[in-house]
């Protein structure tokens, strides 16, 4: 479909994302200028904690295991992973420059007694493994429960990526 010179070329990772039925939400805009979505340090890209995207059909606020079901939270984690990718694309221009997903840290706003944070953050991890393939997409990870998160977000996920020059 993409004939060189006639149509805007879409990067192959974004083509795969579309084939998987996903679109990128807008990159998260940080409310204060003292922080930003991503910072490049050599060949590493450190991404700030991102909440789920608003107006994207997923739950954004609440406590998982309480007002937010595990199933809803998995979808929110997947959407949050997409928001992270939107910030990555904004920072480095193309998702095809991702060489390795290095680490995810998932913080889940948790109702007391809920201990399946790992299952929630699998929404993000599984998306990256499917999108980038197992060699690039498999990553180190922490998935933890938090008593509260800023602005009542149901989760926040941060990531570290290795990027190609």
């Amino acid at each position: 479909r993409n004939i060189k010179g006639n149509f805007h070329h879409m990067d192959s990772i974004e083509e795969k994302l579309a084939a998987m039925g996903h679109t990128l939400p807008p990159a998260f805009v940080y409310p204060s200028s003292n922080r930003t979505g991503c910072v490049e340090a050599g060949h590493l890209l450190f991404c700030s904690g991102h909440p789920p995207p608003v107006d994207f059909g997923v739950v954004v606020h609440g406590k998982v295991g309480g007002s937010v079901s595990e199933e809803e939270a998995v979808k929110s984690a997947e959407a949050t992973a997409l928001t992270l990718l939107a910030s990555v694309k904004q920072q480095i221009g193309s998702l095809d420059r991702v060489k390795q997903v290095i680490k995810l840290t998932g913080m889940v706003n948790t109702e007391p007694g809920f201990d399946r944070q790992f299952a929630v953050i699998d929404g993000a991890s599984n998306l990256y493994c499917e999108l980038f393939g197992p060699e690039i997409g498999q990553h180190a990870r922490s998935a933890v429960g938090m008593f509260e998160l800023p602005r009542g977000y149901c989760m926040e996920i941060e990531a570290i990526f290795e990027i190609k020059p």
Side-chain angles (χ1 to χ4, degrees):
R1 219 179 255 204
N2 287 334
I3 300 165
K4 286 180 182 160
N6 292 348
F7 298 98
H8 173 68
H9 174 70
M10 188 180 280
D11 295 333
S12 60
I13 288 295
E14 281 199 71
E15 287 172 351
K16 186 168 180 188
L17 195 64
M20 289 165 59
H22 295 295
T23 55
L24 291 179
F28 183 70
V29 178
Y30 284 81
S32 173
S33 61
N34 67 1
R35 55 196 180 275
T36 186
C38 302
V39 172
E40 284 180 71
H43 62 285
L44 297 179
L45 187 66
F46 291 84
C47 298
S48 294
H50 283 56
V54 295
D55 301 323
F56 204 69
V58 297
V59 176
V60 176
H61 301 96
K63 286 203 172 283
V64 180
S67 63
V68 182
S69 73
E70 182 179 321
E71 293 73 23
E72 288 172 316
V74 169
K75 291 290 183 198
S76 294
E78 184 179 77
T80 304
L82 293 169
T83 301
L84 279 158
L85 292 181
S87 292
V88 168
K89 182 183 175 185
Q90 181 176 271
Q91 180 70 34
I92 65 171
S94 169
L95 296 180
D96 287 349
R97 287 188 60 203
V98 172
K99 183 176 181 181
Q100 179 70 50
V101 183
I102 295 179
K103 179 141 200 279
L104 290 187
T105 302
M107 295 154 278
V108 181
N109 191 346
T110 301
E111 188 74 19
F114 181 82
D115 67 354
R116 291 180 50 81
Q117 292 82 7
F118 63 91
V120 169
I121 301 303
D122 276 349
S125 292
N126 291 343
L127 177 80
Y128 288 166
C129 284
E130 185 182 350
L131 178 61
F132 292 105
E135 289 185 12
I136 295 171
Q138 189 184 54
H139 48 272
R141 193 184 85 175
S142 298
V144 297
M146 297 291 181
F147 178 67
E148 297 289 356
L149 284 177
R151 297 181 173 88
Y153 291 131
C154 64
M155 72 188 57
E156 183 173 310
I157 302 176
E158 64 180 44
I160 303 169
F161 297 91
E162 185 180 7
I163 53 176
K164 301 169 192 168

